[in-house]
Amino acid sequence: MRITSHSFLRFAVPVAVLLLLFASSVFIFQVRTKEYESWTTAPGTVLKVEWVRDFRVRIYYTYAVAGKSYTGSDLYHRSSEMVEEGAKVLIWYDPAHPNRCSYHKPGPGLDPYGVYFLMIPLAIAWFGKNRRKESSGLL
C-alpha cells in the first residue's frame, strides 16, 4: 500500500490542529491558575441574596482589607448550599488589587476548554471538504 502525500495530510492536519488546541488549552489553564495563585481570604458578610432568573442567584457581600471596606457580587446557579443574608463568609480577593474579589475560590473555570469549541466547526469543515472530494472522485 502506497501512502501518498495527500493521504498523509488528510491525517496529519487534523492531528496537528488537535495538538495545537490541546496545547492552547493547557496554556490557558496554567495562566488562569497562576493569575489566582496569590489570592487570599478576608472575613466578609453577605448583604443580599437576589434571585435573578430561574436557577440563578446573585450574592452581594462586603469585606474589609487593611481597614478599608469593599463590596462585591457574584452570580451563581442555585445550589443546596444557599447562603442567607447576614451570614459570615470568607471572601477571596487579589492582594495587589483588593477590589478584585470572589465569593468562592477563583480558578480557571471553563476558559481553558473554550478552544475546543473551535474544534467543532473546524472538524465539520475539514471532514465535509474531504467527503465532498471523495464523493466527486477527486481523491
Side-chain angles (χ1 to χ4, degrees), residues 9 26-27 38 72-73 96 101-102 109 114 126 131-132 135:
L9 284 177
V26 169
F27 176 74
S38 65
S73 71
C101 57
S102 178
W126 179 260
R131 188 171 283 259
R132 281 193 305 274
S135 65

Side-chain angles (χ1 to χ4, degrees), residues 36-44 61-66 89-95 98 100-106:
Y36 298 117
E37 188 176 73
S38 65
W39 283 44
T40 189
T41 59
Y61 50 85
T62 184
Y63 62 102
V65 175
V89 293
L90 287 178
I91 302 300
W92 289 87
Y93 72 94
D94 181 354
R100 291 185 62 206
C101 57
S102 178
Y103 178 72
H104 286 107
K105 183 175 183 175

Side-chain angles (χ1 to χ4, degrees), residues 16-26 112 115-116 118-119 122:
V17 169
L18 285 173
L19 288 174
L20 180 64
L21 290 173
F22 177 75
S24 299
S25 178
V26 169
V115 294
Y116 291 108
L118 292 173
M119 184 174 64
L122 287 174

Side-chain angles (χ1 to χ4, degrees), residues 4-23:
T4 64
S5 63
H6 182 72
S7 62
F8 174 75
L9 284 177
R10 282 183 52 201
F11 172 75
V13 170
V15 169
V17 169
L18 285 173
L19 288 174
L20 180 64
L21 290 173
F22 177 75

Side-chain angles (χ1 to χ4, degrees), residues 49-52 55-59 74-76 78 82:
V49 178
E50 175 182 76
W51 292 95
V52 179
F55 295 102
R56 289 198 253 174
V57 64
R58 180 167 295 279
I59 300 172
D74 291 308
L75 187 64
Y76 292 100
R78 190 182 101 188
M82 287 305 302

Side-chain angles (χ1 to χ4, degrees), residues 76-92:
Y76 292 100
H77 286 283
R78 190 182 101 188
S79 72
S80 59
E81 300 177 21
M82 287 305 302
V83 66
E84 295 181 12
E85 294 176 11
K88 301 297 180 194
V89 293
L90 287 178
I91 302 300
W92 289 87

